[in-house]
Amino acid sequence: MAKEFTELVQMYLEKEDGVVTLKLITPRNAPWEGTNYGIKVTLDIYVPPDIMVKIKTKNFRLDLSGPFKKADIGNSYGEIRLMDVSEATNIEGSYNQVEVRNIKGDLEIETSYNKISVRDVDTEKGKAFLKKSHLFYHFLILKQMLPYILISKH
């Protein structure tokens, strides 16, 4: 059964105007939907340290370790762990558990129904904006978050 599932996942790598895009596509109404079965895709992708990483996913656990210049992440129904960004970070989606560490520059995180954990963040005179709907905030060692932190809870 595992082999049949993996054959249903299509992967495309496209390059256009200096942008490289990796797409993983599964069929609608995949045979594992609504069952105790599933498929797990693990990718190790290496990029130069001066690059911006932009990710849009759904139902993924993302574990991203830089160094990255910038990170722009959109994910729903998953987990996001992000480390080592040097300029700016933007994370948004719903039902995400978000953990960021060793982030410099502006930080913006928006999620719902799960926790946000931040550690070792230096906004370098920029700002940190954390917006979350429902549940609770969980802060680990907020470091040099100057000049201000904006927190919004709905």
Side-chain angles (χ1 to χ4, degrees), residues 19-154:
V19 175
V20 177
T21 303
L22 172 67
K23 294 182 180 181
L24 293 173
I25 300 172
T26 60
R28 290 187 187 270
N29 301 317
W32 55 80
E33 289 183 17
T35 70
N36 290 330
Y37 300 109
I39 189 162
K40 178 180 178 180
V41 177
T42 302
L43 301 171
D44 291 326
I45 302 171
Y46 299 92
V47 297
D50 61 342
I51 201 162
M52 176 187 175
V53 176
K54 184 171 186 175
I55 298 172
K56 289 188 177 190
T57 60
K58 188 174 183 180
N59 298 313
F60 269 80
R61 178 178 173 257
L62 302 173
D63 192 348
L64 307 162
S65 181
F68 302 118
K69 184 175 183 178
K70 296 180 180 180
D72 185 3
I73 301 168
N75 186 39
S76 296
Y77 302 97
E79 291 180 42
I80 301 169
R81 290 183 59 218
L82 175 65
M83 295 180 281
D84 301 322
V85 179
S86 62
E87 287 187 18
T89 302
N90 179 52
I91 298 173
E92 61 182 67
S94 55
Y95 299 93
N96 287 311
Q97 178 175 325
V98 178
E99 177 185 343
V100 296
R101 288 192 337 212
N102 196 23
I103 306 295
K104 292 184 179 174
D106 288 345
L107 171 64
E108 187 168 333
I109 300 173
E110 185 173 345
T111 190
S112 61
Y113 298 101
N114 220 319
K115 68 182 181 179
I116 298 172
S117 299
V118 295
R119 181 177 188 173
D120 296 329
V121 172
D122 183 351
T123 61
E124 300 177 329
K125 299 183 182 174
K127 66 179 179 186
F129 178 74
L130 310 176
K131 181 179 179 184
K132 189 171 129 6
S133 301
H134 306 92
L135 286 181
F136 57 92
Y137 290 98
H138 180 72
F139 291 101
L140 305 170
I141 308 174
L142 288 176
K143 180 175 161 184
Q144 299 176 351
M145 303 269 299
L146 296 175
Y148 60 95
I149 300 172
L150 302 173
I151 299 175
S152 173
K153 185 174 182 181
H154 298 263

